[in-house]
Amino acid sequence: MNSEKASSPVNSSPLRPEPSRRFSVAPMMDWTDRHCRFFLRLLSKHALLYTEMVTTGAILHGDHERFLRHNEAEHPLALQLGGSVPADLAACARMAEAAGYDEVNLNVGCPSDRVQNNMIGAILMAHPALVADCVKAMRDAVSTPVTVKHRIGINGRDSYAELCDFVGTVKEAGCTSFTVHARIAILEGLSPKENRDIPPLRYDVAAQLKRDFPDLEIVLNGGIKTLEACQEHLQTFDGVMLGREAYHNPYLLAEVDQRLFGSDAPVISRAEALTQLRPYIAEHLATGGSMHHITRHILGLGTGFPGARKFRQLLSVDIHKASDPLALLDQAGALLEGR
């Protein structure tokens, strides 16, 4: 999570209908904070957005209002939790529901050493009964949908039979929606970054899972880069989740509503998106925040056109020495005109 002081209270709202998971943006540490999500929502009204993973300890023993804070405009919005103590997860799920989140997701995919040592993330794939207990505790505590994001296995437990055992056990606890990162996680010897690239993608394994559990919602994650690929995968899966591509090339989201949800609303331009973001930035500045807290997330908006390098320089380098940051923002926006 970013360390800057949040500027608005936790939002609370009535329970909403279950969100569509046809297209979602993955939870990404240090990336999908509330500023990033507000920006992405300008590009797509229908994409389901996820928070960064937040541990139960951070919520229960830290500044829970900061960790749960979001803008009402971010919906549909899911909170991803990291933890393995059923009672703690249930308590956090209740807080998430009170804060108005549309979904609570349990992280069973993060491979980092730090979370492994706390029994968080991919290590839990070796403990399907514990994951089932966690899911049941959360489902008993809230009416908000509870989902799981996981790998297709971990080293030492990477057979298809073991994957089916995991999914089947967690299904018995009442989970009906699984987001499958179609790679195993190697828990020793690879960094989290390497775990996103080195283990091979196995879409075939995820597809077999959908065939063997046709009643479950199976959302595919891992290596998806284009809306054409999304459309192809949606012939097999119930939904697709994009991670790094959605962050580094966010303007991809501008056509999601039209191409994946059948919306007839006009596609927002890059310049319009920045114009709509400007009041949000101005409010953040007025409450003592730094523009870089927000603009670091929009550098990819300049991807793919002449002037992109200047756009990124203005908002990543020049911004730190600008006496009038909003004027610099307007200068960057002028580079987007007609794009």
Side-chain angles (χ1 to χ4, degrees):
M1 296 293 293
N2 286 338
S3 60
E4 88 272 11
K5 183 174 176 60
S7 58
S8 55
V10 171
N11 288 308
S12 179
S13 57
L15 189 64
R16 295 171 170 81
E18 183 149 351
S20 169
R21 300 181 187 91
R22 184 170 174 81
F23 180 94
S24 57
V25 177
M28 292 176 280
M29 289 301 294
D30 198 41
W31 286 1
T32 51
D33 66 13
R34 61 192 181 92
H35 302 312
C36 176
R37 300 189 307 260
F38 186 92
F39 164 59
L40 295 179
R41 180 59 67 214
L42 297 175
L43 300 173
S44 168
K45 302 304 179 189
H46 296 295
L48 176 60
L49 303 179
Y50 282 77
T51 68
E52 305 166 88
M53 181 187 74
V54 186
T55 66
T56 54
I59 294 176
L60 296 176
H61 308 299
D63 183 353
H64 68 273
E65 288 201 358
R66 178 169 72 88
F67 287 116
L68 295 176
R69 184 173 282 107
H70 61 278
N71 189 292
E72 190 67 18
E74 294 172 38
H75 294 282
L77 178 63
L79 173 70
Q80 188 184 65
L81 290 173
S84 58
V85 178
D88 290 352
L89 286 162
C92 291
R94 282 190 289 269
M95 294 168 75
E97 184 169 85
Y101 281 88
D102 302 293
E103 173 189 316
V104 177
N105 178 266
L106 179 63
N107 183 315
V108 190
C110 181
S112 83
D113 292 341
R114 183 171 57 85
V115 299
Q116 282 183 57
N117 294 336
N118 291 306
M119 279 292 285
I120 295 172
I123 188 68
L124 288 174
M125 291 208 69
H127 305 278
L130 176 57
V131 176
D133 289 344
C134 291
V135 166
K136 184 179 187 304
M138 288 189 284
R139 292 189 75 251
D140 287 347
V142 298
S143 55
T144 302
V146 175
T147 65
V148 171
K149 185 175 186 292
H150 61 95
R151 297 281 184 132
I152 58 173
I154 55 176
N155 54 306
R157 189 183 169 87
D158 58 2
S159 72
Y160 183 67
E162 288 165 318
L163 175 61
C164 288
D165 174 59
F166 173 83
V167 171
T169 300
V170 178
K171 172 189 172 183
E172 289 176 6
C175 185
T176 60
S177 182
F178 294 77
T179 297
V180 183
H181 186 162
R183 288 185 172 95
I184 69 165
I186 298 175
L187 300 184
E188 300 91 19
L190 291 186
S191 69
K193 180 180 186 300
E194 290 170 329
N195 260 298
R196 292 191 293 268
D197 294 305
I198 292 177
L201 283 164
R202 293 292 307 275
Y203 294 147
D204 58 314
V205 172
Q208 186 63 49
L209 197 66
K210 178 59 187 177
R211 287 192 291 271
D212 290 339
F213 293 89
D215 54 326
L216 294 180
E217 181 179 62
I218 303 293
V219 177
L220 181 69
N221 172 233
I224 306 171
K225 295 183 181 298
T226 67
L227 294 186
E228 289 75 18
C230 290
Q231 291 170 318
E232 181 178 346
H233 288 307
L234 286 170
Q235 302 302 309
T236 302
F237 300 97
D238 302 295
V240 289
M241 174 183 279
L242 270 66
R244 287 169 288 170
E245 189 66 23
Y247 188 85
H248 292 306
N249 183 22
Y251 194 63
L252 174 147
L253 270 70
E255 294 187 13
V256 161
D257 295 356
Q258 292 74 16
R259 295 177 61 177
L260 301 185
F261 290 93
S263 172
D264 57 5
V267 174
I268 190 171
S269 71
R270 287 179 169 90
E272 288 168 339
L274 197 60
T275 297
Q276 291 184 25
L277 185 62
R278 193 184 193 279
Y280 180 87
I281 294 175
E283 180 182 0
H284 184 65
L285 291 173
T287 56
S290 166
M291 196 159 92
H292 179 65
H293 294 152
I294 303 169
T295 55
R296 72 187 187 95
H297 297 302
I298 70 173
L299 301 180
L301 192 61
T303 297
F305 70 87
R309 179 178 295 181
K310 179 64 173 177
F311 176 83
R312 291 191 297 269
Q313 179 185 325
L314 285 170
L315 297 182
S316 63
V317 178
D318 297 358
I319 196 68
H320 295 291
K321 50 193 175 186
S323 58
D324 186 349
L326 285 176
L328 194 71
L329 181 75
D330 294 338
Q331 186 180 346
L335 297 173
L336 299 177
E337 289 296 336
R339 304 295 177 181

